[in-house]
Amino acid sequence: MKTVTISHLGRHIGEEVAIDGWLHAKRSSGKIVFLQMRDGTGFVQAVMVRSDVSDDTFTEASALTQESSLRITGIVKAEERAPSGVELQAITLETLQLTHDYPITPKEHGVDFLMDHRHLWIRSPRQRSILKIRAEIIRAIRAFFDDREFTQVDPPILTPSACEGTTNLFHTKYFDEDAYLTQSGQLYMEAAAMALGRVYSFGPTFRAEKSKTRRHLIEFWMIEPEMAFTTHEESVEIQEQLIVYVVSHVLRHCEQELRTLGRDIDRLEKVVSPFPKISYDEAIAFLQKNGHEITWGDDFGAPHETEIAAQYEQPVFVERYPTSLKAFYMKPDPMRPEVVLCADLLAPEGYGEIIGGSQRIDDADLLFQRFEEHQLPADAYSWYLDLRQYGSVPHSGFGLGLERTVAWICGLEHVRETIPFPRLLYRLYP
RNA sequence: UCCUCGAUAGCUCAGCGGUAGAGCAUCCGGCUGUUAACCGGAGGGUCGUAGGUUCGAAUCCUACUCGGGGAGCCA
């Protein structure tokens, strides 16, 4: 008997095949049983009619429970009433394990309960769809950079000290030395860009911040491209192309999953070039006009970002923030040294900042001056200062937060559903 | 760290000073096209923990524990 995946059943109409999977749901009456099967590739309904099978088989099917593992053989039928257009007319049944008391019932559940059962929750159609889309977004991001001859470089996860010196890091020991989990691979990626030209990293990042909002994870994944001989404006252009590419890839490859999530496809179809660009100055003026008590030099809070982004149907770049607000390595605008050559990309629909990027300081003296201003230990970063001593060039880069991007594209309420096993404040299980 | 909301059956919740409830899940019975199927029946609870007020507390008060949402910070 040929075993096929549910996703390929449509190619076997009229044939007798076997499927291996789990029972997602069951409905039955005295003489017919409907078995909703899932195998990871999709969902299909197997229909078992009492008169078609042996009494033992029918009794066994009637007694099956949610999430029992089983193998069913039957004839593949085209069926208009089925969501996938295909059904299996069951003939034989082999129960691998009869499950008892599966915790996640077809009824509603609270966040706490579902998070405690995350290892089982990911079996649900909704969670499966999100993880599929996450995988496709990752595939699209890699394809985008690989096609443009970027080289993937993996920065270290254990680091001797803070990269940016702003957020709280996870502390650990490296034998007798202190070590920290990385909060950004950027400085290492600048070194890599001087070696390989155009590079990108894709890996986990850790922030020991006591943040508890729908936009925060303690452990999250970030894509950090870094490009030699690239200006701020050129970097922003690449960021825009990347986002357009990723969204169109998901629209093309994940139609079924987006439908399962109930995502408003129209909103995603509006993500095309060019994206609006406004300056920090214009954003401040806009907020002031709308009654916010904010002055030039203040940073935006989450409500500010949401209000700015709400003006547009596409992601919006906010450029040239005050130098005092941004990281030490960002290059000042030569025409206006009080602002830096940077941009944040704000996603629509209140999802907040998904990209932060800038042109980096390439002048050795200015960078050293910044270290003193920010009271950073120059000796710990002497390798980074070396990059400006030996063939310094204009270069730019950015960081894309994967989970926020997934949450936005999927239209989710919270980033905790975008990663298989989220690490959240006070939640390290499962 | 701060603000705010919550904790009652396996799950989701109602009850808000006077004998602990419903739906779903589970078990038993019925049903040949179900889609969170439906119909009938059964079992199932130290009301988060510790104090206090009261004749009487799931209910009011205090503290603690755990969790949700948000702020700050950030992707």
Side-chain angles (χ1 to χ4, degrees), chain A residues 147-161:
Chain A
D147 288 351
R148 284 160 183 74
E149 297 184 317
F150 281 63
T151 301
Q152 190 204 319
V153 172
D154 302 313
I157 288 169
L158 288 167
T159 60
S161 54

Side-chain angles (χ1 to χ4, degrees), chain A residues 200-226:
Chain A
Y200 73 97
S201 68
F202 179 50
T205 302
F206 308 88
R207 304 270 166 96
E209 291 289 340
K210 299 211 167 172
S211 298
K212 200 162 75 167
T213 82
R214 68 186 65 193
R215 298 180 307 282
H216 288 89
L217 292 168
I218 303 299
E219 175 184 305
F220 65 98
W221 287 64
M222 196 154 59
I223 295 90
E224 294 184 281
E226 196 69 36

Side-chain angles (χ1 to χ4, degrees), chain A residues 164-282:
Chain A
E164 301 187 19
T166 51
T167 53
N168 294 316
L169 306 184
F170 279 100
H171 175 251
T172 186
K173 297 301 284 187
Y174 195 78
F175 304 107
D176 293 335
E177 289 181 70
D178 287 317
Y180 302 88
L181 300 184
T182 181
Q183 63 158 352
S184 167
Q186 188 207 307
L187 304 191
Y188 295 98
M189 295 309 289
E190 289 187 52
M194 300 305 132
L196 295 151
R198 295 176 135 200
V199 295
Y200 73 97
S201 68
F202 179 50
T205 302
F206 308 88
R207 304 270 166 96
E209 291 289 340
K210 299 211 167 172
S211 298
K212 200 162 75 167
T213 82
R214 68 186 65 193
R215 298 180 307 282
H216 288 89
L217 292 168
I218 303 299
E219 175 184 305
F220 65 98
W221 287 64
M222 196 154 59
I223 295 90
E224 294 184 281
E226 196 69 36
M227 300 159 281
F229 301 105
T230 301
T231 64
H232 165 66
E233 283 74 17
E234 291 164 337
S235 173
V236 165
E237 178 64 26
I238 286 172
Q239 293 168 39
E240 181 175 308
Q241 288 172 14
L242 170 67
I243 297 298
V244 169
Y245 180 90
V246 168
V247 170
S248 75
H249 178 94
V250 171
L251 283 170
R252 202 162 59 246
H253 291 95
C254 305
E255 191 192 341
Q256 178 66 53
E257 284 79 11
L258 289 169
R259 202 177 314 130
T260 297
L261 296 172
R263 183 61 165 118
D264 184 354
I265 305 287
D266 292 347
R267 296 300 304 260
L268 295 178
E269 285 175 338
K270 289 183 171 132
V271 181
V272 292
S273 287
F275 291 175
K277 295 184 184 66
I278 63 169
S279 66
Y280 170 87
D281 303 352
E282 289 165 335

Side-chain angles (χ1 to χ4, degrees), chain A residues 339-353:
Chain A
V339 299
V340 283
L341 297 172
C342 74
D344 286 353
L345 182 65
L346 307 181
E349 303 167 70
Y351 284 95
E353 182 186 346

